[in-house]
Amino acid sequence: MIELNRLPGDPSELHLRICHDDGLWDTGQADTLERWDVAILHRRRIHDRELRGDANGDCCGVDCLLCTTEDADVGSMVFYRVHLDRGRNAFAAMEEESEDLSEIAQAVLDPATGYYTDEASGLLEYAGSALLVMDRVTLHEAWRGQGLGPILAGEAIFRLMPGCRAVANAPGISDLGTNIRRSDEWDRVTAKISMGWQHIGFRPYRDNVLLLSPTSLDLEEQRGHLRRQLAELSAAWSATRK
């Protein structure tokens, strides 16, 4: 039995909008680092009695003519497709972009060549040359605590990983408003986040960096499990509304 938090809506109505904004910049940095933004949206029904103009404008269900739908923003994700075979040295490009990307580059890329280190290459079957980095996953507070982060991130990875040899992540706390001051509490929360990503198929690699191989069956198997978990969560949420 799923222990429900007070979710603000049916989780089965969550969906993703994935986009890449190409600025048409003729630079090595833009050719190497390709940023993909993922909006996490919740489709909700709004019942408007005023459309009918009388007191009998009760909602009659999914076919109700007085209902409209709208997408509410409930979170976001940021990914980078790092192209190791075009533009500039990928290690240098990631190091220049941000501290988080630099941490991953130092774990899996050779500074001199910008390609995977021999150690990383030995763990990864060839499925393309690019590196997909899951940089940031953020959910609004009302939607947290039900395991939705791994479910949504797994779906986004599945869409973005073709042509990539590895998917990497350095677990951290995306919510800058989180009031965590003690290092032991920070470590505990970060470890919990890391375990969530391991439910997708990520495995500890070096230091704080996790790796997922697109050729492994882990993501495919876990994706099916997480989709069933989402369906169970939706059913449980619906049961509380009866």
Side-chain angles (χ1 to χ4, degrees):
M1 181 67 182
I2 298 173
E3 183 181 349
L4 280 176
N5 194 8
R6 292 186 178 179
L7 288 173
D10 184 351
S12 70
E13 294 293 338
L14 290 168
H15 60 286
L16 306 178
R17 183 173 296 151
I18 303 174
C19 69
H20 167 60
D21 184 10
D22 192 337
L24 303 180
W25 297 325
D26 185 18
T27 66
Q29 185 78 358
D31 288 341
T32 304
L33 291 184
E34 195 176 273
R35 173 170 168 151
W36 288 81
D37 291 289
V38 182
I40 305 172
L41 305 170
H42 182 255
R43 185 173 292 113
R44 61 187 182 185
R45 291 165 56 83
I46 299 176
H47 184 73
D48 191 349
R49 291 172 181 266
E50 294 181 2
L51 290 175
R52 179 158 182 145
D54 60 36
N56 297 317
D58 294 332
C59 182
C60 59
V62 294
D63 297 324
C64 180
L65 298 178
L66 303 186
C67 284
T68 58
T69 60
E70 69 174 18
D71 288 337
D73 175 29
V74 301
S76 64
M77 294 182 268
V78 176
F79 287 83
Y80 286 90
R81 284 177 59 93
V82 185
H83 297 280
L84 310 187
D85 56 358
R86 74 185 196 200
R88 59 183 301 206
N89 180 301
F91 183 97
M94 292 175 70
E95 194 170 47
E96 183 178 302
E97 186 70 18
S98 71
E99 290 185 7
D100 291 337
L101 292 185
S102 176
E103 180 181 6
I104 291 172
Q106 290 174 31
V108 302
L109 299 183
D110 184 323
T113 66
Y115 288 92
Y116 293 105
T117 63
D118 291 341
E119 180 185 5
S121 293
L123 297 174
L124 301 166
E125 295 184 29
Y126 188 81
S129 60
L131 168 66
L132 180 64
V133 176
M134 184 172 73
D135 185 55
R136 186 174 295 268
V137 179
T138 304
L139 271 175
H140 293 182
E141 189 171 356
W143 290 91
R144 298 175 191 171
Q146 299 296 333
L148 291 169
I151 295 171
L152 298 167
E155 292 295 327
I157 289 170
F158 189 80
R159 302 299 176 189
L160 291 170
M161 73 179 185
C164 295
R165 190 174 181 182
V167 186
N169 172 253
I173 300 172
S174 300
D175 183 3
L176 299 180
T178 301
N179 186 22
I180 298 178
R181 298 180 179 179
R182 290 175 17 210
S183 61
D184 59 338
E185 180 68 5
W186 184 277
D187 291 342
R188 185 189 68 79
V189 174
T190 301
K192 184 177 180 181
I193 294 171
S194 177
M195 287 301 298
W197 299 146
Q198 290 182 53
H199 289 157
I200 304 175
F202 280 101
R203 296 294 177 261
Y205 173 61
R206 174 178 291 181
D207 300 327
N208 188 45
V209 174
L210 307 177
L211 281 184
L212 184 155
S213 172
T215 61
S216 76
L217 296 178
D218 289 343
L219 178 59
E220 187 68 31
E221 293 173 352
Q222 291 301 321
R223 186 171 178 240
H225 170 74
L226 291 171
R227 281 191 163 190
R228 289 191 294 273
Q229 181 180 325
L230 179 64
E232 292 171 3
L233 185 59
S234 173
W237 181 89
S238 298
T240 65
R241 298 299 186 271
K242 294 180 179 179

Coordinates of all heavy atoms in Angstrom, one line a residue, residues 19-105:
C19 N 12.8 20.3 -24.8 CA 13.1 21.2 -25.9 C 14.6 21.6 -25.8 O 15.2 21.6 -24.7 CB 12.3 22.4 -25.9 SG 12.5 23.5 -24.5
H20 N 15.1 21.9 -27.0 CA 16.5 22.4 -27.1 C 16.4 23.8 -27.8 O 15.9 23.9 -28.9 CB 17.4 21.5 -27.9 CG 18.7 22.0 -28.4 ND1 19.6 22.5 -27.5 CD2 19.2 22.3 -29.6 CE1 20.7 23.0 -28.1 NE2 20.4 22.8 -29.4
D21 N 16.9 24.8 -27.2 CA 16.9 26.1 -27.8 C 18.2 26.4 -28.5 O 19.3 26.6 -27.9 CB 16.7 27.2 -26.7 CG 16.6 28.6 -27.2 OD1 16.5 28.7 -28.5 OD2 16.6 29.5 -26.4
D22 N 18.2 26.3 -29.8 CA 19.4 26.5 -30.6 C 19.6 27.9 -31.0 O 18.9 28.5 -31.8 CB 19.3 25.6 -31.9 CG 20.7 25.5 -32.6 OD1 21.5 26.4 -32.4 OD2 20.8 24.5 -33.4
G23 N 20.6 28.5 -30.4 CA 20.9 30.0 -30.6 C 21.6 30.2 -31.9 O 21.9 31.4 -32.2
L24 N 21.9 29.2 -32.7 CA 22.7 29.3 -33.9 C 24.0 30.0 -33.8 O 24.5 30.7 -34.6 CB 21.8 30.1 -35.0 CG 20.4 29.5 -35.3 CD1 19.7 30.3 -36.3 CD2 20.5 28.1 -35.8
W25 N 24.6 29.7 -32.6 CA 25.9 30.3 -32.4 C 27.0 29.5 -33.0 O 27.1 28.3 -32.8 CB 26.2 30.4 -30.8 CG 25.3 31.3 -30.1 CD1 24.7 32.4 -30.6 CD2 24.7 31.1 -28.8 NE1 23.9 33.0 -29.7 CE2 23.9 32.2 -28.6 CE3 24.9 30.1 -27.8 CZ2 23.2 32.3 -27.4 CZ3 24.2 30.3 -26.6 CH2 23.4 31.4 -26.4
D26 N 27.9 30.1 -33.8 CA 29.0 29.4 -34.4 C 30.2 29.4 -33.5 O 31.2 30.1 -33.8 CB 29.3 30.1 -35.8 CG 30.3 29.3 -36.6 OD1 30.5 28.1 -36.3 OD2 30.9 29.9 -37.5
T27 N 30.1 28.6 -32.4 CA 31.2 28.5 -31.5 C 31.4 27.1 -31.1 O 30.5 26.2 -31.2 CB 30.9 29.3 -30.2 OG1 29.8 28.7 -29.5 CG2 30.5 30.7 -30.5
G28 N 32.7 26.8 -30.8 CA 33.0 25.4 -30.4 C 32.3 25.0 -29.1 O 31.9 23.8 -29.0
Q29 N 32.0 25.9 -28.2 CA 31.3 25.6 -26.9 C 29.9 25.2 -27.2 O 29.4 24.2 -26.7 CB 31.3 26.9 -26.0 CG 30.7 26.6 -24.6 CD 31.6 25.9 -23.7 OE1 32.7 25.6 -24.0 NE2 31.2 25.7 -22.5
A30 N 29.2 25.9 -28.1 CA 27.8 25.6 -28.5 C 27.8 24.2 -29.2 O 26.8 23.5 -29.1 CB 27.2 26.7 -29.3
D31 N 28.8 23.9 -30.0 CA 28.8 22.7 -30.8 C 29.0 21.5 -29.9 O 28.6 20.4 -30.2 CB 29.8 22.7 -31.9 CG 29.5 23.6 -33.0 OD1 28.3 23.9 -33.2 OD2 30.4 24.0 -33.8
T32 N 29.8 21.7 -28.8 CA 30.1 20.6 -27.9 C 29.0 20.4 -26.8 O 28.7 19.2 -26.6 CB 31.4 20.9 -27.2 OG1 32.5 21.2 -28.2 CG2 31.9 19.7 -26.3
L33 N 28.5 21.4 -26.2 CA 27.5 21.3 -25.1 C 26.2 21.7 -25.7 O 25.9 22.8 -26.1 CB 27.9 22.2 -24.0 CG 29.1 21.9 -23.1 CD1 29.2 22.8 -21.9 CD2 29.0 20.5 -22.6
E34 N 25.3 20.7 -25.6 CA 23.9 20.9 -26.1 C 23.0 20.8 -24.9 O 22.8 19.7 -24.4 CB 23.6 19.8 -27.2 CG 22.4 20.0 -28.0 CD 22.3 18.9 -29.0 OE1 23.0 19.0 -30.1 OE2 21.7 17.9 -28.7
R35 N 22.4 21.9 -24.6 CA 21.5 22.0 -23.4 C 20.1 21.6 -23.8 O 19.5 22.2 -24.7 CB 21.5 23.3 -22.7 CG 20.5 23.5 -21.6 CD 20.7 24.7 -20.7 NE 19.6 24.9 -19.9 CZ 19.7 25.5 -18.7 NH1 20.9 26.0 -18.2 NH2 18.6 25.7 -17.9
W36 N 19.5 20.7 -23.0 CA 18.1 20.3 -23.2 C 17.3 20.6 -21.9 O 17.7 20.2 -20.8 CB 18.0 18.8 -23.5 CG 18.4 18.5 -24.9 CD1 19.7 18.4 -25.3 CD2 17.6 18.4 -26.1 NE1 19.7 18.1 -26.7 CE2 18.5 18.1 -27.2 CE3 16.2 18.4 -26.3 CZ2 18.0 17.9 -28.4 CZ3 15.7 18.2 -27.6 CH2 16.6 18.0 -28.6
D37 N 16.2 21.4 -22.0 CA 15.4 21.8 -20.9 C 14.1 21.0 -20.9 O 13.5 20.8 -22.0 CB 15.1 23.3 -20.9 CG 16.3 24.1 -20.7 OD1 16.8 24.2 -19.5 OD2 16.8 24.8 -21.6
V38 N 13.8 20.4 -19.8 CA 12.6 19.6 -19.7 C 11.6 20.2 -18.7 O 11.9 20.4 -17.5 CB 12.9 18.2 -19.2 CG1 11.7 17.3 -19.1 CG2 14.0 17.5 -20.1
A39 N 10.4 20.6 -19.2 CA 9.4 21.2 -18.3 C 8.5 20.0 -17.8 O 8.1 19.1 -18.5 CB 8.5 22.2 -19.0
I40 N 8.3 19.9 -16.4 CA 7.4 18.9 -15.9 C 6.1 19.6 -15.6 O 6.0 20.6 -14.9 CB 8.0 18.4 -14.5 CG1 9.4 17.9 -14.7 CG2 7.1 17.3 -13.9 CD1 10.1 17.5 -13.4
L41 N 5.1 19.1 -16.3 CA 3.8 19.8 -16.3 C 2.7 18.8 -15.8 O 2.8 17.6 -16.0 CB 3.4 20.2 -17.8 CG 4.4 21.1 -18.5 CD1 4.1 21.3 -19.9 CD2 4.5 22.5 -17.8
H42 N 1.7 19.4 -15.2 CA 0.5 18.7 -14.7 C -0.7 19.2 -15.4 O -1.1 20.4 -15.4 CB 0.4 18.8 -13.2 CG -0.8 17.9 -12.7 ND1 -2.0 18.5 -12.3 CD2 -0.9 16.6 -12.6 CE1 -2.8 17.5 -11.9 NE2 -2.2 16.4 -12.1
R43 N -1.4 18.3 -16.2 CA -2.6 18.6 -16.9 C -3.8 18.5 -15.9 O -4.1 17.5 -15.4 CB -2.8 17.7 -18.1 CG -4.0 18.1 -19.0 CD -4.0 17.3 -20.2 NE -2.9 17.6 -21.1 CZ -1.9 16.8 -21.4 NH1 -1.9 15.6 -20.9 NH2 -0.9 17.1 -22.2
R44 N -4.4 19.6 -15.7 CA -5.6 19.6 -14.8 C -6.8 20.1 -15.4 O -6.8 21.0 -16.4 CB -5.2 20.5 -13.6 CG -4.9 21.9 -13.8 CD -4.5 22.6 -12.6 NE -4.2 24.1 -12.8 CZ -3.7 24.9 -11.9 NH1 -3.4 24.4 -10.7 NH2 -3.5 26.2 -12.2
R45 N -7.9 19.6 -14.9 CA -9.3 20.0 -15.5 C -9.8 21.1 -14.6 O -9.7 21.1 -13.4 CB -10.2 18.8 -15.4 CG -9.9 17.7 -16.4 CD -10.6 16.4 -16.1 NE -12.0 16.6 -16.0 CZ -12.8 16.6 -17.0 NH1 -12.3 16.4 -18.3 NH2 -14.1 16.7 -16.9
I46 N -10.4 22.1 -15.3 CA -11.0 23.2 -14.6 C -12.5 23.3 -14.9 O -12.8 23.4 -16.1 CB -10.3 24.6 -14.9 CG1 -8.8 24.5 -14.5 CG2 -11.0 25.7 -14.3 CD1 -8.1 25.7 -15.0
H47 N -13.3 23.2 -13.9 CA -14.8 23.2 -14.2 C -15.3 24.6 -14.0 O -15.1 25.3 -12.9 CB -15.5 22.3 -13.2 CG -16.9 22.2 -13.4 ND1 -17.5 21.5 -14.5 CD2 -18.0 22.6 -12.7 CE1 -18.8 21.5 -14.4 NE2 -19.1 22.2 -13.3
D48 N -16.0 25.2 -15.0 CA -16.4 26.6 -15.0 C -18.0 26.6 -15.0 O -18.6 26.4 -16.1 CB -15.9 27.3 -16.2 CG -16.1 28.8 -16.0 OD1 -16.9 29.2 -15.2 OD2 -15.5 29.6 -16.8
R49 N -18.6 26.8 -13.9 CA -20.1 26.8 -13.8 C -20.6 28.0 -14.6 O -21.8 28.0 -15.1 CB -20.5 26.9 -12.3 CG -20.3 25.6 -11.5 CD -20.6 25.9 -10.1 NE -20.4 24.7 -9.2 CZ -21.3 23.8 -8.9 NH1 -22.5 24.0 -9.3 NH2 -21.0 22.8 -8.2
E50 N -19.9 29.1 -14.7 CA -20.4 30.3 -15.3 C -20.6 30.1 -16.8 O -21.4 30.8 -17.4 CB -19.4 31.4 -15.1 CG -19.2 31.8 -13.6 CD -18.3 33.0 -13.5 OE1 -17.8 33.5 -14.5 OE2 -18.1 33.4 -12.3
L51 N -20.0 29.1 -17.4 CA -20.2 28.8 -18.8 C -21.7 28.4 -19.1 O -22.2 28.6 -20.1 CB -19.3 27.7 -19.3 CG -17.8 28.1 -19.4 CD1 -17.0 26.9 -19.9 CD2 -17.6 29.2 -20.5
R52 N -22.3 27.8 -18.0 CA -23.7 27.4 -18.2 C -24.7 28.5 -17.8 O -25.8 28.6 -18.4 CB -23.9 26.1 -17.3 CG -25.4 25.6 -17.4 CD -25.5 24.2 -17.0 NE -26.8 23.7 -17.2 CZ -27.1 22.4 -17.5 NH1 -26.1 21.6 -17.8 NH2 -28.4 22.0 -17.6
G53 N -24.3 29.3 -16.9 CA -25.2 30.4 -16.5 C -26.3 30.0 -15.6 O -27.3 30.8 -15.4
D54 N -26.3 28.8 -15.0 CA -27.4 28.5 -14.0 C -26.7 27.7 -12.9 O -25.5 27.4 -12.9 CB -28.5 27.8 -14.6 CG -28.1 26.4 -15.3 OD1 -27.2 25.8 -14.7 OD2 -28.7 26.1 -16.3
A55 N -27.5 27.3 -11.9 CA -27.0 26.6 -10.7 C -26.8 25.1 -11.0 O -26.4 24.4 -10.1 CB -28.0 26.8 -9.6
N56 N -27.2 24.6 -12.1 CA -27.1 23.2 -12.4 C -25.8 22.8 -13.2 O -25.8 21.8 -13.9 CB -28.3 22.7 -13.1 CG -29.6 22.9 -12.3 OD1 -29.6 22.6 -11.1 ND2 -30.6 23.3 -13.0
G57 N -24.8 23.6 -13.0 CA -23.6 23.4 -13.8 C -22.6 22.5 -13.1 O -21.4 22.7 -13.0
D58 N -23.1 21.3 -12.6 CA -22.2 20.4 -11.9 C -21.4 19.6 -12.9 O -21.9 19.4 -14.1 CB -23.1 19.4 -11.1 CG -23.7 20.1 -9.9 OD1 -23.2 21.1 -9.4 OD2 -24.8 19.6 -9.5
C59 N -20.2 19.2 -12.5 CA -19.4 18.4 -13.4 C -19.9 17.0 -13.6 O -20.3 16.3 -12.6 CB -17.9 18.4 -12.8 SG -16.8 17.5 -13.9
C60 N -20.0 16.6 -14.9 CA -20.5 15.2 -15.1 C -19.4 14.2 -15.5 O -19.7 13.2 -16.1 CB -21.6 15.3 -16.2 SG -21.0 16.0 -17.8
G61 N -18.2 14.6 -15.3 CA -17.1 13.7 -15.6 C -16.2 14.1 -16.7 O -16.2 15.2 -17.1
V62 N -15.6 13.1 -17.4 CA -14.6 13.4 -18.4 C -15.2 14.0 -19.6 O -14.5 14.7 -20.4 CB -13.9 12.1 -18.8 CG1 -13.0 11.6 -17.7 CG2 -14.8 11.0 -19.3
D63 N -16.5 13.8 -19.9 CA -17.2 14.4 -21.0 C -17.9 15.7 -20.7 O -18.7 16.2 -21.5 CB -18.2 13.4 -21.6 CG -17.6 12.1 -22.1 OD1 -16.5 12.2 -22.6 OD2 -18.2 11.0 -21.9
C64 N -17.6 16.3 -19.6 CA -18.3 17.5 -19.2 C -17.9 18.7 -20.1 O -16.7 18.9 -20.3 CB -17.9 17.9 -17.7 SG -18.6 19.4 -17.1
L65 N -18.9 19.3 -20.6 CA -18.7 20.4 -21.6 C -18.2 21.7 -20.9 O -17.8 22.7 -21.6 CB -20.0 20.7 -22.4 CG -20.4 19.5 -23.3 CD1 -21.7 19.9 -24.0 CD2 -19.4 19.1 -24.3
L66 N -18.4 21.7 -19.6 CA -18.0 22.9 -18.8 C -16.5 22.9 -18.3 O -16.1 23.8 -17.7 CB -18.9 23.1 -17.6 CG -20.4 23.2 -17.9 CD1 -21.2 23.5 -16.7 CD2 -20.7 24.2 -19.0
C67 N -15.8 21.8 -18.7 CA -14.5 21.6 -18.2 C -13.5 22.0 -19.3 O -13.7 21.6 -20.5 CB -14.2 20.2 -17.8 SG -14.9 19.8 -16.1
T68 N -12.4 22.7 -18.9 CA -11.3 22.9 -19.8 C -10.1 22.4 -19.1 O -10.1 22.1 -17.9 CB -11.1 24.4 -20.1 OG1 -10.9 25.1 -18.8 CG2 -12.3 25.0 -20.8
T69 N -9.0 22.2 -19.9 CA -7.7 21.7 -19.3 C -6.6 22.8 -19.5 O -6.7 23.6 -20.4 CB -7.3 20.4 -20.0 OG1 -7.1 20.6 -21.4 CG2 -8.3 19.3 -19.8
E70 N -5.7 22.8 -18.5 CA -4.5 23.6 -18.7 C -3.4 22.9 -18.0 O -3.5 22.0 -17.2 CB -4.8 25.0 -18.0 CG -4.9 24.9 -16.5 CD -5.0 26.3 -15.8 OE1 -5.3 27.2 -16.5 OE2 -4.7 26.3 -14.6
D71 N -2.2 23.3 -18.5 CA -0.9 22.7 -18.0 C -0.3 23.6 -16.9 O -0.1 24.8 -17.2 CB 0.1 22.5 -19.1 CG -0.3 21.4 -20.0 OD1 -1.1 20.5 -19.6 OD2 0.2 21.4 -21.2
A72 N -0.1 23.0 -15.7 CA 0.5 23.8 -14.6 C 2.0 23.3 -14.5 O 2.3 22.1 -14.5 CB -0.2 23.5 -13.3
D73 N 2.9 24.3 -14.3 CA 4.3 24.0 -14.2 C 4.5 23.4 -12.8 O 4.2 24.1 -11.8 CB 5.1 25.2 -14.4 CG 6.6 25.0 -14.1 OD1 7.1 23.9 -14.3 OD2 7.3 26.0 -13.7
V74 N 5.1 22.2 -12.6 CA 5.4 21.6 -11.3 C 6.8 21.3 -11.1 O 7.2 20.7 -10.1 CB 4.5 20.4 -11.0 CG1 3.0 20.8 -11.1 CG2 4.8 19.3 -12.0
G75 N 7.7 21.6 -12.1 CA 9.1 21.3 -11.9 C 9.8 21.4 -13.2 O 9.3 21.8 -14.3
S76 N 11.1 21.1 -13.2 CA 11.9 21.1 -14.4 C 13.2 20.2 -14.3 O 13.5 19.8 -13.2 CB 12.4 22.6 -14.6 OG 13.2 23.0 -13.6
M77 N 13.7 19.9 -15.4 CA 15.0 19.2 -15.5 C 15.9 19.8 -16.5 O 15.4 20.5 -17.4 CB 14.8 17.7 -15.8 CG 14.0 16.9 -14.8 SD 13.8 15.2 -15.3 CE 12.2 15.3 -16.1
V78 N 17.2 19.7 -16.3 CA 18.2 20.2 -17.2 C 19.1 19.1 -17.6 O 19.7 18.4 -16.7 CB 19.0 21.4 -16.7 CG1 20.1 21.8 -17.7 CG2 18.1 22.6 -16.4
F79 N 19.3 18.8 -18.9 CA 20.3 17.8 -19.4 C 21.2 18.5 -20.3 O 20.9 19.5 -20.9 CB 19.5 16.7 -20.1 CG 18.8 15.8 -19.2 CD1 17.5 16.1 -18.8 CD2 19.3 14.5 -18.8 CE1 16.7 15.2 -18.0 CE2 18.6 13.7 -18.0 CZ 17.3 14.0 -17.6
Y80 N 22.4 17.9 -20.4 CA 23.4 18.3 -21.5 C 23.8 17.1 -22.3 O 24.2 16.0 -21.7 CB 24.6 18.9 -20.8 CG 24.5 20.3 -20.3 CD1 24.1 20.5 -19.0 CD2 24.7 21.4 -21.1 CE1 23.9 21.8 -18.5 CE2 24.5 22.7 -20.6 CZ 24.1 22.8 -19.3 OH 24.0 24.1 -18.8
R81 N 23.7 17.2 -23.6 CA 24.3 16.2 -24.5 C 25.7 16.7 -24.8 O 25.8 17.8 -25.5 CB 23.4 16.0 -25.7 CG 22.2 15.1 -25.5 CD 21.4 15.0 -26.7 NE 22.1 14.4 -27.8 CZ 22.1 13.1 -28.1 NH1 21.4 12.2 -27.4 NH2 22.8 12.6 -29.1
V82 N 26.7 16.1 -24.4 CA 28.1 16.5 -24.6 C 28.7 15.7 -25.8 O 28.8 14.5 -25.7 CB 28.9 16.3 -23.3 CG1 30.3 16.9 -23.5 CG2 28.2 16.9 -22.1
H83 N 29.0 16.5 -26.8 CA 29.5 15.8 -28.1 C 31.0 15.8 -28.0 O 31.7 16.8 -28.0 CB 29.0 16.6 -29.3 CG 27.5 16.5 -29.4 ND1 26.8 15.5 -30.0 CD2 26.6 17.5 -29.1 CE1 25.5 15.7 -30.0 NE2 25.3 16.9 -29.4
L84 N 31.6 14.6 -27.9 CA 33.0 14.5 -27.7 C 33.8 14.5 -29.0 O 35.0 14.6 -29.1 CB 33.3 13.1 -27.0 CG 32.6 12.8 -25.7 CD1 33.1 11.6 -25.1 CD2 32.6 14.0 -24.8
D85 N 33.0 14.5 -30.1 CA 33.7 14.4 -31.5 C 33.5 15.6 -32.3 O 33.7 15.6 -33.5 CB 33.1 13.1 -32.2 CG 31.6 13.1 -32.3 OD1 31.0 14.1 -31.8 OD2 31.1 12.2 -33.0
R86 N 33.1 16.7 -31.7 CA 32.9 18.0 -32.5 C 33.1 19.2 -31.6 O 33.0 19.0 -30.3 CB 31.6 18.0 -33.2 CG 30.4 18.3 -32.3 CD 29.1 18.2 -33.0 NE 28.0 18.8 -32.3 CZ 26.7 18.5 -32.5 NH1 26.4 17.7 -33.5 NH2 25.8 19.2 -31.8
G87 N 33.4 20.3 -32.2 CA 33.6 21.5 -31.4 C 34.9 21.5 -30.7 O 35.9 21.2 -31.3
R88 N 34.9 21.8 -29.4 CA 36.2 21.9 -28.7 C 36.4 20.7 -27.8 O 35.5 19.8 -27.7 CB 36.2 23.2 -27.8 CG 35.0 23.3 -26.8 CD 35.0 24.7 -26.1 NE 36.3 24.9 -25.4 CZ 36.4 25.6 -24.3 NH1 35.3 26.3 -23.8 NH2 37.5 25.8 -23.7
N89 N 37.5 20.7 -27.0 CA 37.8 19.7 -26.1 C 36.6 19.6 -25.0 O 36.3 20.6 -24.4 CB 39.1 20.0 -25.4 CG 39.5 18.9 -24.3 OD1 38.7 18.7 -23.4 ND2 40.6 18.3 -24.5
A90 N 35.9 18.5 -24.9 CA 34.7 18.4 -24.1 C 35.1 18.6 -22.6 O 34.3 19.1 -21.9 CB 34.1 17.0 -24.3
F91 N 36.2 18.1 -22.2 CA 36.6 18.3 -20.8 C 36.7 19.8 -20.5 O 36.2 20.3 -19.5 CB 38.0 17.6 -20.5 CG 38.4 17.7 -19.1 CD1 38.2 16.7 -18.2 CD2 39.1 18.9 -18.6 CE1 38.7 16.8 -16.9 CE2 39.5 19.0 -17.3 CZ 39.3 17.9 -16.4
A92 N 37.4 20.6 -21.3 CA 37.5 22.0 -21.1 C 36.1 22.7 -21.2 O 35.8 23.6 -20.4 CB 38.5 22.6 -22.2
A93 N 35.3 22.3 -22.1 CA 34.0 22.9 -22.3 C 33.1 22.7 -21.0 O 32.4 23.6 -20.6 CB 33.3 22.3 -23.5
M94 N 33.2 21.5 -20.5 CA 32.4 21.2 -19.3 C 32.9 21.9 -18.1 O 32.2 22.4 -17.2 CB 32.3 19.7 -19.0 CG 31.6 18.9 -20.1 SD 31.7 17.1 -19.8 CE 30.7 16.9 -18.3
E95 N 34.2 22.0 -18.0 CA 34.9 22.7 -16.9 C 34.5 24.2 -16.9 O 34.4 24.8 -15.8 CB 36.4 22.5 -16.9 CG 37.1 22.8 -15.7 CD 38.6 22.4 -15.7 OE1 39.3 22.6 -16.7 OE2 39.0 21.8 -14.7
E96 N 34.4 24.7 -18.1 CA 34.1 26.1 -18.2 C 32.7 26.4 -17.9 O 32.3 27.5 -17.4 CB 34.5 26.6 -19.6 CG 34.3 28.1 -19.8 CD 34.8 28.5 -21.2 OE1 35.9 28.3 -21.6 OE2 33.9 29.0 -22.0
E97 N 31.8 25.5 -18.2 CA 30.4 25.7 -18.1 C 29.9 25.8 -16.7 O 29.1 26.7 -16.3 CB 29.6 24.6 -18.8 CG 28.1 24.8 -18.9 CD 27.7 25.9 -19.9 OE1 28.6 26.3 -20.7 OE2 26.6 26.4 -19.8
S98 N 30.2 24.9 -15.8 CA 29.8 24.9 -14.4 C 30.6 24.0 -13.5 O 31.3 23.1 -14.0 CB 28.3 24.6 -14.3 OG 28.1 23.2 -14.6
E99 N 30.5 24.2 -12.2 CA 31.2 23.3 -11.3 C 30.7 21.9 -11.3 O 31.4 20.9 -11.2 CB 31.1 23.9 -9.9 CG 31.9 25.1 -9.6 CD 31.9 25.6 -8.2 OE1 31.3 24.8 -7.3 OE2 32.4 26.7 -7.9
D100 N 29.4 21.8 -11.5 CA 28.7 20.4 -11.5 C 29.2 19.6 -12.8 O 29.5 18.5 -12.6 CB 27.2 20.6 -11.6 CG 26.7 21.1 -10.2 OD1 27.3 21.0 -9.2 OD2 25.6 21.7 -10.3
L101 N 29.2 20.3 -13.9 CA 29.7 19.6 -15.1 C 31.2 19.3 -15.0 O 31.7 18.3 -15.5 CB 29.4 20.4 -16.4 CG 28.0 20.6 -16.8 CD1 27.9 21.3 -18.1 CD2 27.3 19.3 -16.9
S102 N 32.0 20.2 -14.4 CA 33.4 20.0 -14.2 C 33.6 18.8 -13.3 O 34.6 18.0 -13.6 CB 34.0 21.2 -13.5 OG 35.4 21.0 -13.3
E103 N 32.8 18.6 -12.3 CA 33.0 17.4 -11.4 C 32.8 16.1 -12.2 O 33.6 15.1 -12.0 CB 31.9 17.5 -10.3 CG 32.0 16.3 -9.3 CD 30.9 16.4 -8.2 OE1 30.1 17.3 -8.3 OE2 31.0 15.5 -7.3
I104 N 31.9 16.1 -13.1 CA 31.6 14.9 -13.9 C 32.7 14.7 -14.9 O 33.2 13.6 -15.2 CB 30.3 15.0 -14.6 CG1 29.1 14.9 -13.6 CG2 30.1 13.9 -15.7 CD1 27.8 15.1 -14.1
A105 N 33.2 15.8 -15.6 CA 34.3 15.7 -16.6 C 35.5 15.1 -15.9 O 36.2 14.3 -16.5 CB 34.6 17.1 -17.1

